[in-house]
Amino acid sequence: MRINRKIMLCATVICCLLAFTGIVFASDQYPSKTIRIIVPYAAGGGTDTFGRNIAANLKSQLGVDVIVSNVVGGSGAIGRAEAAKAKADGYTMLMDDKAFISALHMGAGKITYKDMDPVCRLDEVAFALVVNAKSNIKTLKEYLEYAKNNPGAVTIGVSGIGGMAHLNAEAIKLYGNVKLTVVPFEGGAMSRTALAGGHVASIVAQLGEIDSFVKAGDFKILALTSESREKAFPDVPTFKESGVDFSLSQWRGIWVPKGTPVEVVTFLEKAIKKAMDSESFQDLSKKNFTTAKYLNHNGLAKELVKTDGDLKKVVDAAGLNPKK
């Protein structure tokens, strides 16, 4: 009996040592195979473009293939679900934007940001309230005053229902305390065409979408929804500077399946930060009027809680929450 106990004790110790050795070995070898970045949107969009830039940079850094998979459908819900159920070993990541948070409040999908572990935030993309340069309205103050005196008369074009352009328009209504008539279009190009043709009084759009129109003298930016002014448009104030206390820019982040070892998360966030410091990423950001706003996994976790509250308030006020 005593011998059996000794044998069992030795076996247990050996198993523990082997397990520990295996963990160390696995950690030392990471990454050793292809890393997959799931983008829950179609190829060619902003998130996809930045995802492919990060993938190329990581491949160069890590010496393994890093691929982007566009898993589309359900307004991003299908891609998120696939990423969430993947093995938590650091070989599957999700690259998404604020829609990951707002979608749940609008009834799109069941996977939430709480079902995955954050790795890092990449950037911030400002939205702009834009009018035709021929408009008599020249400032945000004039825009809001006219809207208050003429409830519902001011039209504001957005690209789609439920996207960040639409939510920014709803935020202008909420925090500006005005009634605007939201006009949804199938894409940003159609909303810009409508503004140029005088079919809507204003639009909400990302800076990269309207830059050429502003420089050509066709459009005028009244205010930005970002926290601070943009270098490309130093004379354009933010909504907060103009007395309307809100900011609702877009940003992109990266997540991994729940339970991914913290050592792997830390490894990835540092590698992604290095990729963001690359010349190619900086050039892409400048071209698309995005500002690098890196946050590590702890910083992103805190930002997610704040963003969740901000977006829920706007979604509820806009009547977009099916549970309300």
Side-chain angles (χ1 to χ4, degrees):
M1 191 71 175
R2 185 175 297 172
I3 294 176
N4 288 339
R5 286 179 178 175
K6 286 183 177 180
I7 293 174
M8 290 175 65
L9 178 61
C10 289
T12 300
V13 171
I14 291 171
C15 287
C16 289
L17 287 172
L18 287 173
F20 177 75
T21 303
I23 292 172
V24 173
F25 178 77
S27 176
D28 287 344
Q29 293 299 313
Y30 178 82
S32 59
K33 62 181 182 180
T34 299
I35 295 174
R36 182 187 183 208
I37 301 176
I38 292 178
V39 173
Y41 311 110
T47 300
D48 175 72
T49 300
F50 276 84
R52 292 181 186 279
N53 181 277
I54 290 292
N57 274 290
L58 288 179
K59 179 179 180 179
S60 177
Q61 269 191 72
L62 306 180
V64 298
D65 286 334
V66 183
I67 63 172
V68 171
S69 294
N70 300 96
V71 183
V72 302
S75 299
I78 294 177
R80 292 169 198 137
E82 183 165 324
K85 70 181 182 182
K87 190 175 181 180
D89 57 3
Y91 290 98
T92 300
M93 293 187 280
L94 171 73
M95 185 165 179
D96 207 342
D97 54 35
K98 278 187 177 179
F100 192 7
I101 307 163
S102 60
L104 178 71
H105 299 303
M106 292 186 285
K110 298 180 180 179
I111 300 298
T112 76
Y113 71 90
K114 296 179 182 179
D115 297 315
M116 298 190 72
D117 289 334
V119 176
C120 61
R121 184 181 73 177
L122 302 180
D123 57 2
E124 181 182 54
V125 184
F127 279 84
L129 173 61
V130 186
V131 296
N132 193 302
K134 297 177 182 178
S135 172
N136 293 326
I137 295 174
K138 303 300 181 184
T139 66
L140 177 62
K141 182 179 179 181
E142 293 176 357
Y143 180 89
L144 295 177
E145 285 181 350
Y146 185 85
K148 287 178 181 178
N149 294 328
N150 301 273
V154 177
T155 51
I156 183 166
V158 299
S159 54
I161 292 293
M164 285 305 300
H166 179 206
L167 294 183
N168 269 278
E170 296 293 347
I172 294 171
K173 291 167 57 179
L174 175 63
Y175 294 101
N177 193 29
V178 293
K179 290 184 178 181
L180 305 172
T181 299
V182 175
V183 182
F185 294 92
E186 292 184 3
M190 293 182 69
S191 68
R192 294 192 298 272
T193 299
L195 182 63
H199 304 297
V200 291
S202 58
I203 63 171
V204 174
Q206 293 184 24
L207 288 178
E209 297 175 318
I210 48 88
D211 168 60
S212 61
F213 292 87
V214 175
K215 289 179 177 177
D218 299 321
F219 293 171
K220 178 178 176 58
I221 304 173
L222 299 184
L224 300 175
T225 66
S226 51
E227 284 283 352
S228 56
R229 295 194 182 199
E230 292 292 322
K231 292 181 180 179
F233 300 96
D235 297 328
V236 178
T238 65
F239 272 82
K240 283 191 173 184
E241 288 178 315
S242 303
V244 183
D245 191 17
F246 91 97
S247 61
L248 196 60
S249 57
Q250 176 66 290
W251 53 250
R252 284 175 277 260
I254 292 178
W255 288 261
V256 289
K258 197 78 171 176
T260 299
V262 66
E263 295 84 1
V264 173
V265 173
T266 301
F267 179 92
L268 287 172
E269 70 179 13
K270 290 180 179 178
I272 293 167
K273 177 60 171 68
K274 187 175 180 180
M276 290 175 60
D277 292 335
S278 69
E279 184 176 348
S280 65
F281 186 90
Q282 295 297 320
D283 288 344
L284 181 63
S285 296
K286 185 176 181 180
K287 180 180 178 181
N288 288 274
F289 295 91
T290 71
T291 303
K293 288 288 182 74
Y294 174 82
L295 287 175
N296 64 14
H297 70 277
N298 288 323
L300 178 53
K302 294 178 182 178
E303 176 64 25
L304 286 167
V305 175
K306 178 184 180 299
T307 299
D308 190 10
D310 292 343
L311 289 176
K312 185 179 186 304
K313 186 175 181 179
V314 174
V315 169
D316 289 351
L320 297 172
N321 191 335
K323 297 178 181 179
K324 294 291 184 178

